[in-house]
């Protein structure tokens, strides 16, 4: 009775939410049930956020959902990603360098080795050297990938979003980025509405 909905790390959480809705309808039909339980893990929290907003925008209730369980879910972003965009490195964060950077490298190039090398370098080189290396590396990653990926924007803490979008103000002002800007603003609004959407979910009987 356990189903896994997988979504792309390099994608748009609002589009992934549409996929989740379709997936839920498929599960309901296959199992002959009226409701499902949703268990979100890590970035699954961003998809739940987008999914609840999607239902609201479509004028639908939450009758497909019996209960929601969040397991260390990224509901309001993570300071790790805020630091990444703003280049404010916390070199004590083992998860970021030991797991997260390798995961990004694996997703984008099929090779996680660079991420593990960075983690090793943290143990060997002075911190200032690591700061310089990270800033140089991030410049390329930001330009080619992260600035253009709504899923990464969805991981910026909501209270740091304004600082980040103002740092990269060309995304707001350049017509070339108008679609991206509309997409990330859409998700930011979904996140601002999350508490209200969860309360509505609770009022409809979801545990």
């Amino acid at each position: 009775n356990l189903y896994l909905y997988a979504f792309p790390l390099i994608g748009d959480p609002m589009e992934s939410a549409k996929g989740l809705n379709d997936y839920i309808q498929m599960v309901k039909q296959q199992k002959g049930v009226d409701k499902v339980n949703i268990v979100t893990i890590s970035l699954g929290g961003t998809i739940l956020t987008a999914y609840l907003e999607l239902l609201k925008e479509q004028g639908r209730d939450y009758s497909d959902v019996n209960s929601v369980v969040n397991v260390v879910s990224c509901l309001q972003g993570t300071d790790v990603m805020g630091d990444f965009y703003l280049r404010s490195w916390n070199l004590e964060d083992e998860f970021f360098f030991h797991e997260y950077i390798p995961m990004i490298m694996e997703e984008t190039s099929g090779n996680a080795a660079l991420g593990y090398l960075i983690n090793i370098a943290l143990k060997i080189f002075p911190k200032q050297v690591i700061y310089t290396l990270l800033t140089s590396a991030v410049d390329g990653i930001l330009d080619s990938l992260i600035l253009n990926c709504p899923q990464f924007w969805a991981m910026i803490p909501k209270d740091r979003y304004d600082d980040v979008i103002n740092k990269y103000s060309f995304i707001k002002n350049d017509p070339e980025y108008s679609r991206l800007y509309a997409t990330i603003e859409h998700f930011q609004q979904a996140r601002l509405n999350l508490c209200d959407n969860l309360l509505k979910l609770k009022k409809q009987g979801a545990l």
Side-chain angles (χ1 to χ4, degrees):
N1 294 322
L2 179 64
Y3 285 74
L4 173 65
Y5 174 66
F7 58 91
L9 174 61
I10 303 172
D12 173 0
M14 303 306 295
E15 288 299 315
S16 295
K18 294 177 184 176
L20 174 59
N21 179 64
D22 293 341
Y23 195 79
I24 288 172
Q25 304 315 312
M26 178 273 292
V27 170
K28 287 173 55 183
Q29 183 177 23
Q30 281 195 5
K31 302 304 294 183
V33 296
D34 295 325
K35 297 176 181 286
V36 300
N37 300 312
I38 299 177
V39 180
T40 71
I41 301 173
S42 188
L43 291 182
T46 64
I47 311 307
L48 174 68
T49 299
Y51 171 68
L52 296 179
E53 184 73 3
L54 174 69
L55 295 184
K56 186 191 78 171
E57 291 174 352
Q58 293 178 345
R60 296 168 54 195
D61 59 20
Y62 302 118
S63 58
D64 287 339
V65 182
N66 180 61
S67 64
V68 173
V69 177
N70 292 306
V71 181
V72 291
S73 297
C74 185
L75 294 173
Q76 296 291 4
T78 168
D79 279 319
V80 168
M81 210 61 195
D83 293 346
F84 200 75
Y85 275 85
L86 295 171
R87 296 176 174 81
S88 175
W89 312 115
N90 176 9
L91 298 183
E92 306 304 319
D93 194 322
E94 282 288 324
F95 168 77
F96 183 61
F97 297 106
H98 185 66
E99 298 183 39
Y100 190 69
I101 290 238
M103 182 173 67
I104 292 175
M105 298 301 177
E106 179 72 24
E107 183 83 15
T108 56
S109 67
N111 184 356
L114 179 58
Y116 294 118
L117 287 174
I118 290 174
N119 194 52
I120 292 170
L122 285 172
K123 318 282 188 202
I124 299 173
F125 294 108
K127 286 187 177 180
Q128 188 55 51
V129 173
I130 300 300
Y131 273 103
T132 302
L133 288 172
L134 282 172
T135 300
S136 298
V138 165
D139 284 342
I141 296 173
L142 275 170
D143 291 343
S144 63
L145 173 64
I146 292 180
L147 282 181
N148 296 291
C149 178
Q151 182 62 60
F152 289 119
W153 281 91
M155 296 161 62
I156 298 169
K158 68 175 183 179
D159 59 349
R160 301 180 71 181
Y161 173 79
D162 287 341
D163 290 338
V164 175
I165 196 65
N166 288 331
K167 179 179 177 65
Y168 303 101
S169 58
F170 63 88
I171 290 178
K172 294 193 292 184
N173 302 319
D174 188 338
E176 181 181 344
Y177 291 91
S178 59
R179 183 175 178 182
L180 173 65
Y181 182 58
T183 300
I184 60 180
E185 281 282 298
H186 191 187
F187 181 81
Q188 175 67 357
Q189 190 59 54
R191 192 160 48 183
L192 293 173
N193 293 338
L194 177 61
C195 287
D196 286 343
N197 289 338
L198 287 172
L199 286 173
K200 291 175 185 175
L201 179 66
K202 184 178 180 180
K203 286 179 180 177
Q204 289 190 193
L207 302 178

